[in-house]
Amino acid sequence: MIATTEIKISKTEHSKLNEVSLENVPFGKFFTDHMLEADYENGEWKNVEIKPYQPLLIAPSNAALHYGQSIFEGIKAYKDQQGNAYIFRPYDNFKRFNISAERMQMPTVPEEIFIEGMRKLIEIDKNWIPSMANHSLYIRPLMFASDEVIGVRPSDNYKFIIMLSPTGPYYAAPMKIWVEEKYVRAAEGGVGYAKAAGNYGGAMYVAAQAKKNGFDQVLWMDAKEHKYVQECGVMNVFFIVGNKALTPDLTAGTILAGVTRDTVITVLKEIGLVIEERPVSIDEIIEAYKAGTLKEVFGTGTAATVATIKELQYKDYNMKFDLTNLTITSGVKKRVDAIRSCEAPDTYDWMFKV
Ligand code: COI
């Protein structure tokens, strides 16, 4: 544990803020003036510093580059009408980050660095928080192995970084989804629940194939039976069937325990829907579609927020959804947006004031 006073701060003399328009800014392309950097050496975190955003010097033998000990998080910050900055549910991401760290045999990061470091960093760069609707400041904490060795073993040294990126919507338009029955993202006992870099790298080939065939993303299914849906691209997935919301449960450890997923479950309950967190088979989805009870499908994630799915394609069976009547999807999105922009009361204590 380190005291908050031990975070060294070196500010830039040349802010880049004037060079970036915060309106209609693409996802993850621009970075703020500062970043946080810390080193794990000899069993402890040290050299915690907020400094001008800059490249890192990495040896070709860096262990993370070879064997993938690398994890990250995605969090968002907003501001209210008065210009006060808030971070949305940072403690949930903090907990998940350390769960990922344990699974990848990496050290955990203490609250004093993760939360307090993030708070201080955003305090310094808070003018970078966009105010336009569907915009926010995306926060990317990242940890990777920093040993310089090509033997396969857990690294002794690690680097922890927090960087900030002003951002607009991740998926701008309703999505056409390919239900994948050959390739898998995660199997039981694997690392599917961890926000490990390799989970994303491993998905790219399949996502690219889907794109080539005219789809925006892939809906993954389980590795054993290729029957139960898991995640959709970089999102958790929800199916609105009658007055029920179906979403895959977390027990198999194959999907990410999304913070937005949890937020949306809370909001769906408010609206009066019955939530069923359980294995959801593609056959059940097709049956509900045929019966006319499957009305809406959407994905949730920090980057994506609540993203409309307009089409699902499973083998040669196509399901199209009526985009003119997405009451639940738009109601949930509106409610979540209202809380995050501080227009609605923070009933659940989700907003962390910077
Ligand atoms: C997020 O939703 O924050 C993610 O991490 C997904 C993606 C941008 C990698």
Side-chain angles (χ1 to χ4, degrees), residues 9-203:
I9 296 178
S10 322
K11 289 195 190 171
T12 182
E13 290 179 1
H14 306 285
S15 172
K16 302 169 291 184
L17 187 53
N18 290 338
E19 296 158 28
V20 179
S21 164
L22 298 183
E23 297 200 348
N24 300 314
V25 61
F27 181 86
K29 235 187 147 162
F30 298 102
F31 300 95
T32 66
D33 288 324
H34 299 92
M35 62 193 251
L36 178 138
E37 191 176 329
D39 296 311
Y40 185 82
E41 290 167 10
N42 300 319
E44 59 174 347
W45 285 102
K46 49 177 72 160
N47 311 329
V48 189
E49 185 175 359
I50 292 174
K51 53 160 96 169
Y53 180 84
Q54 59 193 268
L56 304 166
L57 193 63
I58 290 183
S61 58
N62 170 282
L65 298 180
H66 298 258
Y67 307 121
Q69 264 190 307
S70 178
I71 60 169
F72 68 97
E73 267 303 328
I75 309 171
K76 278 179 173 171
Y78 300 84
K79 63 182 175 193
D80 64 12
Q81 296 289 339
Q82 291 71 43
N84 299 304
Y86 292 85
I87 310 173
F88 188 70
R89 304 188 67 174
Y91 281 94
D92 294 275
N93 295 87
F94 167 57
K95 281 184 211 139
R96 191 174 67 184
F97 187 81
N98 282 335
I99 288 171
S100 300
E102 277 174 20
R103 180 61 182 85
M104 298 302 290
Q105 193 54 41
M106 299 165 87
T108 54
V109 175
E111 184 178 332
E112 287 79 2
I113 300 177
F114 192 101
I115 298 285
E116 180 56 17
M118 184 188 305
R119 194 195 65 73
K120 273 205 157 80
L121 180 62
I122 290 174
E123 197 168 49
I124 292 169
D125 278 350
K126 76 168 191 251
N127 291 340
W128 285 83
I129 303 177
S131 35
M132 207 178 161
N134 296 317
H135 285 53
S136 59
L137 186 67
Y138 186 79
I139 307 165
R140 172 51 62 87
L142 161 78
M143 174 169 46
F144 59 90
S146 54
D147 273 11
E148 297 178 9
V149 60
I150 53 173
V152 182
R153 58 156 177 79
S155 189
D156 291 326
N157 300 288
Y158 294 85
K159 203 170 261 303
F160 175 67
I161 304 279
I162 304 178
M163 63 189 117
L164 308 174
S165 174
T167 188
Y170 191 75
Y171 295 123
M175 300 165 75
K176 198 174 154 184
I177 301 296
W178 171 254
V179 184
E180 178 58 47
E181 49 163 343
K182 178 180 173 195
Y183 296 102
V184 296
R185 175 189 172 274
E188 284 189 40
V191 297
Y193 67 89
K195 215 160 166 61
N199 282 340
Y200 296 79

Side-chain angles (χ1 to χ4, degrees), residues 224-239:
K224 222 188 274 172
E225 295 178 73
H226 301 266
K227 181 173 160 188
Y228 295 99
V229 302
Q230 290 184 334
E231 289 189 359
C232 184
V234 296
M235 305 181 292
N236 293 114
V237 65
F238 287 79
F239 304 88

Side-chain angles (χ1 to χ4, degrees), residues 133-305:
N134 296 317
H135 285 53
S136 59
L137 186 67
Y138 186 79
I139 307 165
R140 172 51 62 87
L142 161 78
M143 174 169 46
F144 59 90
S146 54
D147 273 11
E148 297 178 9
V149 60
I150 53 173
V152 182
R153 58 156 177 79
S155 189
D156 291 326
N157 300 288
Y158 294 85
K159 203 170 261 303
F160 175 67
I161 304 279
I162 304 178
M163 63 189 117
L164 308 174
S165 174
T167 188
Y170 191 75
Y171 295 123
M175 300 165 75
K176 198 174 154 184
I177 301 296
W178 171 254
V179 184
E180 178 58 47
E181 49 163 343
K182 178 180 173 195
Y183 296 102
V184 296
R185 175 189 172 274
E188 284 189 40
V191 297
Y193 67 89
K195 215 160 166 61
N199 282 340
Y200 296 79
M204 285 180 191
Y205 171 77
V206 189
Q209 296 296 311
K211 218 165 222 151
K212 256 192 223 161
N213 293 320
F215 296 92
D216 299 301
Q217 258 301 345
V218 166
L219 175 59
W220 299 101
M221 290 200 284
D222 75 287
K224 222 188 274 172
E225 295 178 73
H226 301 266
K227 181 173 160 188
Y228 295 99
V229 302
Q230 290 184 334
E231 289 189 359
C232 184
V234 296
M235 305 181 292
N236 293 114
V237 65
F238 287 79
F239 304 88
I240 308 299
V241 180
N243 73 334
K244 290 183 191 164
L246 315 182
T247 194
D249 60 315
L250 305 173
T251 38
T254 49
I255 65 170
L256 204 69
V259 178
T260 312
R261 174 186 181 276
D262 184 72
T263 302
V264 164
I265 287 175
T266 307
V267 169
L268 285 168
K269 281 183 190 159
E270 271 184 357
I271 297 174
L273 264 81
V274 176
I275 312 294
E276 292 191 3
E277 286 182 73
R278 58 167 173 81
V280 179
S281 75
I282 189 67
D283 296 340
E284 172 183 7
I285 293 306
I286 291 171
E287 262 168 47
Y289 181 79
K290 284 182 175 163
T293 51
L294 173 62
K295 298 287 188 200
E296 300 179 44
V297 184
F298 57 83
T300 64
T302 299
T305 315

